[in-house]
Amino acid sequence: MTVSVIDNGPNQISRSVLVNAPVSELFAIVADPRRHRELDGSGTVRATVSGPPRLAEGAAFSVNMKAYGLPYRITSRVTAFEENRLIEWRHPVGHRWRWQFAPESAGSTRVTETFDYSTMGRIKAAIRYYDLIRAPKSNTAGIEATLTRLQARYAPDSPTIT
């Protein structure tokens, strides 16, 4: 099995994987912010979460994080929500995390995760800052690890990155 690169244009990093599980089960994990740590391949998500037990459009949730050795707390707001299809949340600076789910044959699901910092509008300095601190590179590695972890949870095979 493989993690696929999806080209969505500049300032977006997307990866996709086929998971041997139904859409509803996978969507339920991402729709519950308390379960995000189960998936996190970046090592940045901590256990302390506040907010609703299930996300919906407009909902806010806060998560304790740790990056570059520094702890912090981030509050995000859900900007798009389509049951069993799409969840997207926006961080205060403007970048977005998007999860998309597409049913495939035999109960499997195509899962795509995207880090989108193209939507930051007029905060072009933030885009340059993200590039400077190598956020695209570290977020790419985190997304690939997250999707690999999700895939491994439902299949004994070890996926590869292509």
Side-chain angles (χ1 to χ4, degrees):
M1 300 225 158
T2 61
V3 174
S4 302
V5 175
I6 308 296
D7 183 2
N8 286 331
N11 303 321
Q12 293 188 57
I13 293 130
S14 293
R15 298 294 185 267
S16 178
V17 69
L18 187 63
V19 180
N20 190 23
V23 170
S24 60
E25 187 171 337
L26 299 171
F27 189 86
I29 295 170
V30 180
D32 182 350
R34 287 161 184 77
R35 297 186 70 188
H36 289 181
R37 189 166 185 202
E38 291 175 33
L39 301 174
D40 178 39
S42 70
T44 60
V45 178
R46 299 295 172 235
T48 307
V49 176
S50 64
R54 181 160 167 81
L55 298 176
E57 189 153 358
F61 64 100
S62 295
V63 180
N64 281 359
M65 308 284 288
K66 187 173 186 180
Y68 308 106
L70 301 171
Y72 63 98
R73 187 163 184 85
I74 192 82
T75 299
S76 299
R77 181 162 307 278
V78 177
T79 54
F81 186 96
E82 296 176 40
E83 187 68 33
N84 291 330
R85 293 192 45 161
L86 169 72
I87 301 175
E88 178 185 83
W89 55 84
R90 181 183 184 275
H91 283 226
V93 177
H95 63 271
R96 297 172 192 258
W97 287 97
R98 182 179 317 115
W99 286 79
Q100 295 167 280
F101 304 86
E104 300 251 341
S105 62
S108 62
T109 303
R110 171 71 49 191
V111 179
T112 303
E113 182 182 7
T114 301
F115 168 66
D116 181 354
Y117 63 114
S118 70
T119 60
M120 296 172 65
R122 298 178 189 205
I123 311 173
K124 297 298 181 192
I127 290 175
R128 285 191 296 275
Y129 173 72
Y130 278 12
D131 289 335
L132 182 67
I133 66 167
R134 305 182 130 193
K137 183 177 181 178
S138 63
N139 285 334
T140 297
I143 288 169
E144 290 174 355
T146 295
L147 292 175
T148 298
R149 188 177 201 168
L150 180 62
Q151 188 179 56
R153 181 178 184 150
Y154 292 95
D157 302 315
S158 285
T160 58
I161 307 298
T162 60

